[in-house]
Amino acid sequence: LYTKLQNADLDEETLTALRDLYSLVQYTMGEVSSVGKREQTVSLTLRVPDMERIRSLITSQVLVLGDSPESILEGMLADGSVSKNMMKEYSVSVRMTEVDGEWKIPYGDKENADFVKALSVAEMIDFLN
């Protein structure tokens, strides 16, 4: 995730807002199933910020307050409104691949579409950029 944010060529305010937002992501690992010698599937329960709701609230506040979306998001994160009232839970299966002795999660629409959809990284980058 951090690499995706770095590669998006974002200004520091946007990068900070996204880092702070995604620091709220929580997960619980469930069953692990071997798919092959260097692949396995892990069931995860994700608790993530409700990105659709957050984008909607930010859009309405930008029109009223005239502040930047990043500034409004940082305010929502600072006052705890996101972590208290705007979280959503997903159950997903994630395919992991062993690369150089470490287990990695391929992040893409083909490899882990449900995981990608739950995190909404591309949508949030586009929204704030």
Side-chain angles (χ1 to χ4, degrees):
L1 178 60
Y2 181 74
T3 303
K4 275 219 164 298
L5 294 176
Q6 290 283 55
N7 291 337
D9 193 29
L10 303 171
D11 62 45
E12 195 58 39
E13 183 183 22
T14 302
L15 190 56
T16 299
L18 287 167
R19 279 188 200 140
D20 292 347
L21 179 64
Y22 283 97
S23 72
L24 297 176
V25 173
Q26 300 171 358
Y27 67 93
T28 304
M29 290 180 62
E31 185 178 324
V32 178
S33 307
S34 289
V35 176
K37 185 176 180 180
R38 295 178 192 244
E39 289 186 9
Q40 59 186 358
T41 300
V42 179
S43 63
L44 294 178
T45 301
L46 296 170
R47 189 166 191 269
V48 300
D50 185 341
M51 303 305 180
E52 187 175 321
R53 185 169 175 211
I54 290 167
R55 287 192 313 260
S56 176
L57 286 170
I58 290 173
T59 299
S60 65
Q61 288 186 9
V62 164
L63 295 173
V64 173
L65 302 174
D67 290 341
S68 73
E70 296 85 358
S71 173
I72 294 169
L73 176 57
E74 282 296 334
M76 293 166 62
L77 292 165
D79 72 12
S81 59
V82 173
S83 62
K84 292 176 188 168
N85 304 315
M86 296 181 215
M87 299 296 285
K88 200 169 186 178
E89 197 166 287
Y90 295 92
S91 294
V92 297
S93 290
V94 176
R95 178 162 274 180
M96 299 179 73
T97 307
E98 186 179 13
V99 178
D100 297 328
E102 295 182 358
W103 288 98
K104 306 284 185 176
I105 298 174
Y107 188 86
D109 292 333
K110 292 180 182 178
E111 298 92 348
N112 287 302
D114 292 337
F115 182 63
V116 170
K117 183 179 177 184
L119 292 179
S120 303
V121 173
E123 291 87 348
M124 288 307 292
I125 289 172
D126 290 344
F127 176 71
L128 293 173
N129 205 2

